[in-house]
């Protein structure tokens, strides 16, 4: 083997090791903190945010006691946003070439409906579907008590939006969407790795 071949092999190995190290360093694990108890649904849950690239995602994990499964729900709701638009009239309006969204409502007994009494200026509208690959760490709590890992591809349709959230600082209206998946039966959620 010539010196050139040896140097080439060493360089390839070095690059591969550097890439593996970079992936290890860049990967972040989100546990979601402590479990909370929902008295109404009689289950435990966690609400937290994860970040991949420049995009932030809201994660809701809850225990489905009757199915012995954990549900992981993911939506693209930016932190600091407020829930707006609930199917009432004139929630999003155009005035003098600008867009406004209703943020406060009151019930009109004459009209027998909710009416908007406070609007906020919208500088930007974002419609972004979810296309995210995440690794979930879980524990088999019935049989082996071993730690397991599974990769989930969370994807939503671009035209199917369910909620609208307004960010007061950026004056951005986010068309958001939620989706999710069940973990395998008898597997307790531990963390998400992205």
């Amino acid at each position: 083997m010539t010196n050139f071949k040896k140097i080439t092999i060493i360089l390839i190995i070095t690059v591969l090791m550097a890439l593996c190290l970079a992936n290890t360093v860049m990967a972040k694990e989100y546990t979601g903190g402590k479990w909370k108890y929902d008295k109404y649904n009689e289950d435990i849950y966690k609400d937290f945010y994860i970040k991949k690239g420049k995009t932030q995602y809201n994660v809701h994990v809850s225990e489905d006691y009757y199915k012995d499964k954990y549900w992981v729900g993911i939506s693209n709701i930016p932190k600091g946003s407020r829930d707006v638009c609930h199917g009432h009239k004139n929630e999003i309006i155009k005035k003098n070439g600008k867009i406004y969204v209703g943020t406060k409502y009151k019930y009109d007994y004459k009209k027998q409906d909710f009416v908007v009494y406070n609007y906020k200026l919208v500088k930007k509208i974002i419609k972004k579907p979810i296309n995210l690959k995440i690794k979930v760490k879980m524990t088999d709590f019935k049989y082996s008590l071993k730690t397991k890992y599974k990769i989930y591809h969370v994807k939503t349709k671009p035209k199917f939006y369910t909620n609208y959230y307004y960010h007061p600082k950026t004056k951005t209206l986010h068309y958001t969407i939620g989706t999710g998946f069940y973990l395998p039966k008898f597997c307790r959620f531990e963390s998400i790795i992205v």
Side-chain angles (χ1 to χ4, degrees):
M1 188 182 289
T2 63
N3 286 337
F4 178 76
K5 285 184 178 179
K6 287 180 181 178
I7 292 168
T8 305
I9 291 169
I10 291 168
L11 283 171
I12 290 169
I13 292 169
T14 305
V15 169
L16 289 172
M17 287 176 69
L19 287 171
C20 290
L21 183 63
N23 285 333
T24 304
V25 171
M26 289 173 68
K28 191 169 182 180
E29 186 172 8
Y30 298 86
T31 61
K34 293 181 180 180
W35 291 100
K36 297 175 183 176
Y37 181 69
D38 185 346
K39 292 180 181 179
Y40 181 76
N41 293 313
E42 296 183 344
D43 60 9
I44 56 173
Y45 72 95
K46 290 182 179 187
D47 281 316
F48 57 99
Y49 283 89
I50 64 173
K51 193 174 183 181
K52 188 164 187 181
K54 293 181 179 179
T55 309
Q56 203 170 45
Y57 301 91
N58 175 258
V59 180
H60 174 80
V61 182
S62 59
E63 178 191 30
D64 193 325
Y65 179 79
Y66 298 101
K67 292 183 179 180
D68 290 318
K69 289 182 178 182
Y70 281 76
W71 168 258
V72 180
I74 296 184
S75 58
N76 48 357
I77 302 170
K79 199 171 185 179
S81 300
R82 282 191 250 159
D83 185 13
V84 294
C85 300
H86 302 280
H88 307 308
K89 292 179 182 179
N90 301 320
E91 289 184 313
I92 300 174
I93 62 170
K94 284 185 179 181
K95 189 177 180 181
N96 299 326
K98 295 180 179 179
I99 299 171
Y100 295 86
V101 63
T103 55
K104 291 183 181 179
Y105 303 81
K106 62 182 177 182
Y107 192 76
D108 190 321
Y109 289 95
K110 289 182 180 179
K111 294 180 180 179
Q112 292 291 301
D113 198 2
F114 285 92
V115 293
V116 181
Y117 70 90
N118 187 42
Y119 284 95
K120 294 289 183 182
L121 175 67
V122 175
K123 287 188 175 179
K124 191 177 181 181
I125 294 176
I126 295 178
K127 299 179 180 180
K128 193 174 182 181
I130 297 172
N131 189 357
L132 175 69
K133 282 187 178 179
I134 58 173
K135 184 190 283 187
V136 178
K137 180 181 176 182
M138 61 195 89
T139 303
D140 184 334
F141 63 82
K142 186 170 184 180
Y143 298 108
S144 63
L145 296 178
K146 288 183 178 179
T147 301
K148 297 179 179 181
Y149 295 89
K150 188 174 180 180
I151 294 173
Y152 291 88
H153 188 183
V154 187
K155 198 173 181 180
T156 56
K157 294 180 180 179
K159 294 181 180 179
F160 184 70
Y161 296 97
T162 54
N163 294 299
Y164 304 85
Y165 281 78
Y166 179 75
H167 201 291
K169 287 186 179 179
T170 59
K171 294 180 171 38
T172 306
L173 183 63
H174 295 266
Y175 285 45
T176 66
I177 186 167
T179 186
F181 51 86
Y182 275 107
L183 298 187
K185 202 170 185 179
F186 305 124
C187 284
R188 182 178 63 245
F189 173 87
E190 297 296 343
S191 64
I192 286 176
I193 301 166
V194 292

